[in-house]
Amino acid sequence: SYVLTQPPSLSVAPGQTARITCGGNDIGSKNVHWYQQTPGQAPVLVVFNNEDRPSGVPHKFSGSNSGSTATLTISRVEAGDEADYYCQVWDVNTDHRIFGGGTKLTVL
Amino acid sequence: EVQLVESGGGLVKSGGSLRLSCAASGFIFNSHTLNWVRQAPGRGLQWVSSISSGSHYIYYEDSLKGRFTVSRDNARKSVFLQMNSLTAADTAVYFCAVGIWAGESVFDFWGRGTLVTVSS
């Protein structure tokens, strides 16, 4: 089955840029979606179809996808961005929805 | 306003069964695929199952096939997850999720989840 690989953790200083990666075989040919989850809360969609933002999501969240890596970029990181972030794709071969293992973003 | 409200979670003994429900409102229920996603304590998200608008297409995570059964009642705007032969590994928060604006394969609305605890 299709596997998505994320780094378990990432630490960034306030005001800097966080780049969270999501690796997968030929992931560039798929649409990748990103979710933010804070403790005790349901996930929230922050980027869909590689680079689109749902209504209400700040422009500081952006995405890209090429080759074997998709990236969620968070600009001007602040304390409120501290959360777990998950990538997700739809595997068209099985019709299964696949999540990456998640990345815990820590703001120093 | 889109709302998804899960219920039916609780404490169950290993080998037991549980039926989760998700009541939806605020969107055209019978036009969208509904999904279940779970999260074990301290772990990541795991897709569980999806059921298409007319129940014609149903999918399960491979390891759950045979024990879990998803269904829906469009008249009652609800989706269900029947879970049998439960083990401690099934202990998790179970979320109901739907893709409305962003597409069928995306989860742009989520419920708050219902906790299932399986005691050994």
Side-chain angles (χ1 to χ4, degrees), chain A residues 9-92:
Chain A
S9 62
L10 178 67
S11 297
V12 177
Q16 299 303 302
T17 298
R19 294 179 178 86
I20 300 173
T21 60
C22 176
N25 182 35
D26 194 28
I27 196 174
S29 67
K30 301 180 184 298
N31 281 325
V32 180
H33 320 299
W34 292 92
Y35 303 86
Q36 176 195 62
Q37 187 183 33
T38 52
Q41 301 298 312
V44 173
L45 180 69
V46 292
V47 167
F48 67 99
N49 293 347
N50 303 317
E51 59 185 8
D52 295 329
R53 273 184 311 276
S55 173
V57 173
H59 282 70
K60 65 186 304 182
F61 291 92
S62 62
S64 63
N65 185 17
S66 179
S68 60
T69 304
T71 303
L72 173 69
T73 300
I74 309 171
S75 304
R76 302 176 303 281
V77 165
E78 53 194 356
D81 299 323
E82 196 163 271
D84 295 323
Y85 292 85
Y86 296 89
C87 58
Q88 180 248 318
V89 301
W90 175 41
D91 182 357
V92 296

Side-chain angles (χ1 to χ4, degrees), chain B residues 23-94:
Chain B
S25 61
F27 65 99
I28 303 174
F29 183 81
N30 60 11
S31 293
H32 296 282
T33 294
L34 270 292
N35 310 272
W36 288 98
V37 176
R38 71 181 183 180
Q39 186 170 36
R43 305 295 296 275
L45 301 172
Q46 181 186 29
W47 170 76
V48 171
S49 179
S50 297
I51 182 167
S52 64
S53 57
S55 303
H56 298 297
Y57 301 99
I58 292 175
Y59 306 101
Y60 299 98
E61 204 278 335
D62 288 344
S63 66
L64 304 176
K65 211 178 297 185
R67 291 195 303 122
F68 286 19
T69 302
V70 66
S71 61
R72 63 190 291 164
D73 184 333
N74 285 345
R76 292 168 54 191
K77 297 183 181 180
S78 294
V79 62
F80 310 98
L81 186 67
Q82 177 69 40
M83 305 184 296
N84 298 328
S85 304
L86 288 164
T87 71
D90 297 313
T91 293
V93 174
Y94 286 73

